Amino acid sequence: MLTIKNLSRPGLEPTSFQLATGECIALRGPSGAGKTLLLRALADLDPSDGEVRLDGTLREKIPAPTWRRRVGYVTAEPGWWSERLGDHFQDWEAQAGPARRLKISPDAAQRRVSQLSTGERQRLALLRALEHRPEVLLLDEPTGPLDEESTAAVESLLREKQDNGLALLWVTHDKRQAARVATRRFWIDAGRLREEMLEEAQR
């Protein structure tokens, strides 16, 4: 379980909530409202105040590299440090099955990152994060550039991971997607986070 208490940083007002094992929370809000600021603070990429715990252990007690494996973060614009795609994976062969499910060819490891489409890079960034077997995954519009078929494939794979205990905080602008993937829905605006009631989320 990820427990957040009075987490704040510039642009984000003190916020508190819990994300349970196997749960998915959808996060929506207008552009510039603070969605990415919240994810970056949880991923320990930017300084923040407040308290964040994973399974009861304070974030400060967990080495930063370990935290970022256990609490993975898939950004809206993934970064790549090598032109050869395979260099970004510890064991590409082990990813062949999930790659096929995401409509990625098993020989993609030999391709150059610059040859990949935006949608391919987004799906591969998700695979890269899942390879570390995180307990929590922070997703910043992971299906934004994808077509309906690829979006369905991503949702199906993540639902399976969720059934195995993965917790998701999923940023999306799509109200219908939020209804499909999440059991709780949050709204953020001007750095203020609140939970939406079911009737409100459906409007």
Side-chain angles (χ1 to χ4, degrees), residues 1-4 16-20 23 25 184 186 195:
M1 175 180 288
L2 189 68
T3 305
I4 296 96
S16 302
F17 64 96
Q18 290 185 330
L19 177 62
E23 182 180 26
I25 291 176
R184 295 167 66 200
F186 285 13
E195 186 165 358

Side-chain angles (χ1 to χ4, degrees), residues 1-8 12-20 23-27 34-35 37-39 41-43 51-54 136-138 167-171 184-188 191-195:
M1 175 180 288
L2 189 68
T3 305
I4 296 96
K5 185 175 180 182
N6 294 323
L7 180 69
S8 67
L12 180 68
E13 295 194 6
T15 213
S16 302
F17 64 96
Q18 290 185 330
L19 177 62
E23 182 180 26
C24 179
I25 291 176
L27 175 60
K35 299 183 294 296
L37 293 181
L38 173 59
L39 296 192
L42 291 173
E51 186 178 289
V52 182
R53 293 177 181 266
L54 183 61
V136 177
L137 199 53
L138 311 171
L168 305 171
L169 180 56
W170 189 319
V171 169
R184 295 167 66 200
R185 290 174 279 283
F186 285 13
W187 178 265
I188 190 168
R192 292 187 294 274
L193 184 74
R194 62 179 176 82
E195 186 165 358

Side-chain angles (χ1 to χ4, degrees), residues 37-76:
L37 293 181
L38 173 59
L39 296 192
R40 288 184 60 86
L42 291 173
D44 199 25
L45 295 177
D46 296 331
S48 61
D49 295 315
E51 186 178 289
V52 182
R53 293 177 181 266
L54 183 61
D55 296 333
T57 302
L58 275 171
R59 181 170 60 185
E60 290 75 13
K61 302 294 185 182
I62 301 174
T66 302
W67 178 267
R68 290 170 191 151
R69 284 194 300 272
R70 296 178 67 186
V71 181
Y73 178 30
V74 180
T75 65

Side-chain angles (χ1 to χ4, degrees), residues 73-145:
Y73 178 30
V74 180
T75 65
E77 297 181 6
W80 307 91
W81 55 87
S82 170
E83 255 298 285
R84 181 180 174 275
L85 177 66
D87 293 342
H88 298 269
F89 291 85
Q90 296 173 343
D91 183 359
W92 172 255
E93 290 186 7
Q95 303 306 312
R100 287 192 188 93
R101 290 185 59 179
L102 295 184
K103 319 299 181 187
I104 299 291
S105 170
D107 64 6
Q110 305 307 318
R111 296 175 63 188
R112 298 173 67 82
V113 172
S114 56
Q115 296 174 319
L116 303 170
S117 70
T118 300
E120 286 174 321
R121 289 197 296 270
Q122 195 69 31
R123 283 171 282 161
L124 286 160
L126 175 61
L127 279 183
R128 184 176 66 186
L130 289 172
E131 185 180 34
H132 295 293
R133 300 174 183 263
E135 297 162 54
V136 177
L137 199 53
L138 311 171
L139 301 165
D140 199 346
E141 297 191 70
T143 61

